[in-house]
Amino acid sequence: MTSRVVVTGKIPQAGLDVLVDAGIAVQAWTNDVAISRSELLKMVSGADVLVTLLTEKIDSEVLSAAGTQLKAVCNVAVGYNNIDLAECSRRGIKVTNTPGVLTEATADIAMALILMVTRRLAEGERVIRGQKSWQWGMHYMLGAGIQQRRLGIIGMGAIGAATARRARAFGMTIAYTNRSMAGVALERELEMERMSLDDLLATSDVVSVHCPSNES
């Protein structure tokens, strides 16, 4: 019997082509707007596999609507807090995600935000777009250079390390705090120092947070 895969959010056509070329029956949500709850509950009925996005909450109601034949929920995201893992486990449903796919993109954004703040890029952009009158002056929109400044990174995982590499290229020094040592090789590569959270906050010029969003 041909497996039926339901894709609950709009994904690139290339991803759908992979499934179709494998001879899989695919039903996909193709609207740019996220699927409504009522549409989701109808669409998942009879699916063998769900390919989901963060915009869909996959809980016991959705799993029941899909049916007992459901074998897997595959989240097109690094995070998976939209999925009730305990309920999937109880029903014997496998859950997958796509780790690592946003590491470099997220580090790019982190570095862009650092430059936006220190060089006041967003403020200057708003002046230009607003067509406001302005006059150059020695102190007008004067930002701060980040060369020889310390970047303190809270959470030295893959994204933290990718951000540190970018910061090093801009001439920053790196300090980090983490539950465990990042590793001798990485510390040598980035010439970074591990320290306590309190010391990092007290001595860093810029702080970038790269840890899970949870109670701790």
Side-chain angles (χ1 to χ4, degrees), residues 12 25 63 71 74 77 79 82 93-94 103 105 108 134 145-147 153 155-156 181 183 185-186 196 199 202:
L63 298 176
K71 300 178 182 67
C74 306
N82 59 311
I93 298 170
K94 293 181 179 180
T103 296
D108 283 348
W134 59 280
I146 57 176
Q147 294 72 30
I153 296 180
M156 186 51 69
M181 184 178 174
L186 187 60
S196 70
D199 287 344

Side-chain angles (χ1 to χ4, degrees), residues 6 10 14 36 71 76 95 117 119 122 125 134 179 193 199 202:
V6 170
K10 188 174 182 179
S36 68
K71 300 178 182 67
V76 186
V95 176
V117 172
R119 286 299 185 183
E125 192 262 357
W134 59 280
R179 288 176 294 184
E193 179 184 359
D199 287 344

Side-chain angles (χ1 to χ4, degrees), residues 117-182:
V117 172
T118 56
R119 286 299 185 183
R120 302 180 66 176
L121 299 179
E123 296 173 76
E125 192 262 357
R126 286 194 291 271
V127 169
I128 299 301
R129 283 190 180 275
Q131 299 184 4
K132 300 175 183 177
S133 60
W134 59 280
Q135 173 64 53
W136 180 88
M138 184 66 74
H139 300 283
Y140 179 71
M141 285 288 176
L142 181 63
I146 57 176
Q147 294 72 30
Q148 305 307 312
R149 300 289 186 174
R150 171 176 282 177
L151 172 63
I153 296 180
I154 302 174
M156 186 51 69
I159 297 173
T163 302
R165 290 187 182 96
R166 286 157 174 75
R168 287 287 294 155
F170 276 87
M172 301 188 81
T173 61
I174 309 298
Y176 78 98
T177 186
N178 203 54
R179 288 176 294 184
S180 58
M181 184 178 174

